[in-house]
Amino acid sequence: MDGRDTDLKKELDATLQTRRELGEEYESALVDSFLEKVDQRIDGAVERRVRRQMAERQMEAARDSRSPRPTDSFGERFGFGIVSLVLAVPLSAIGGGVADLPGLLVAWAGIVGVNVVQVARTNPGLFSGRRRAAKGDSWDE
């Protein structure tokens, strides 16, 4: 028995003692008063439970909103790749024409770097070394 049950038992004992002292004419008022206290206890317990469940749901929603998700669609990724390749042609010509092989290597290092940054931006956690298993994957079981 916890503290709340003990308090409720004391209330019931006090109500019964008061009924003995006052007589049966006050019985309905005493019972109503005791039932009101029980209702308040039940309402308090239900309210605490509802608040706890709401807090748990909010925590779940916060966790789900922080999970990594791709931020752009296939079309945006495809378009970025096409633009990258189209710009690679004049950048390669300029780098190779101005500084020969080192210029060409610097131009392509820049192109590859921009694409790696784009992939890292759209796939958070890809380069962190830990991958999350998709639902239904049984590799880790």
Side-chain angles (χ1 to χ4, degrees):
M1 213 186 278
D2 64 357
R4 292 179 290 200
D5 291 340
T6 304
D7 291 343
L8 197 56
K9 186 175 185 215
K10 288 179 184 177
E11 286 287 334
L12 178 60
D13 290 340
T15 301
L16 291 174
Q17 184 65 29
T18 305
R19 184 211 174 261
R20 285 187 204 114
E21 291 174 7
L22 295 177
E24 291 183 16
E25 60 270 2
Y26 292 102
E27 183 174 346
S28 66
L30 291 171
V31 169
D32 289 342
S33 172
F34 179 74
L35 289 177
E36 187 175 322
K37 291 176 185 176
V38 170
D39 283 343
Q40 289 173 354
R41 289 276 173 102
I42 291 172
D43 289 344
V46 168
E47 185 177 334
R48 283 189 301 276
R49 184 173 293 160
V50 167
R51 272 190 273 154
R52 186 181 70 238
Q53 288 176 349
M54 290 298 292
E56 289 171 357
R57 287 182 185 160
Q58 288 174 348
M59 291 295 291
E60 258 182 55
R63 284 188 199 116
D64 288 345
S65 69
R66 289 186 297 182
S67 64
R69 293 189 179 115
T71 57
D72 51 2
S73 67
F74 172 76
E76 291 175 9
R77 291 190 310 265
F78 185 71
F80 188 84
I82 294 295
V83 169
S84 178
L85 287 175
V86 167
L87 291 177
V89 173
L91 288 175
S92 298
I94 293 170
V98 172
D100 295 326
L101 183 61
L104 185 63
L105 292 177
V106 168
W108 274 96
I111 294 166
V112 169
V114 167
N115 283 286
V116 167
V117 168
Q118 174 68 9
V119 168
R121 186 186 69 82
T122 58
N123 299 307
L126 182 67
F127 297 115
S128 67
R130 57 186 175 100
R131 290 188 165 186
R132 294 180 1 150
K135 288 185 180 179
D137 282 352
S138 60
W139 291 99
D140 294 331
E141 293 178 3

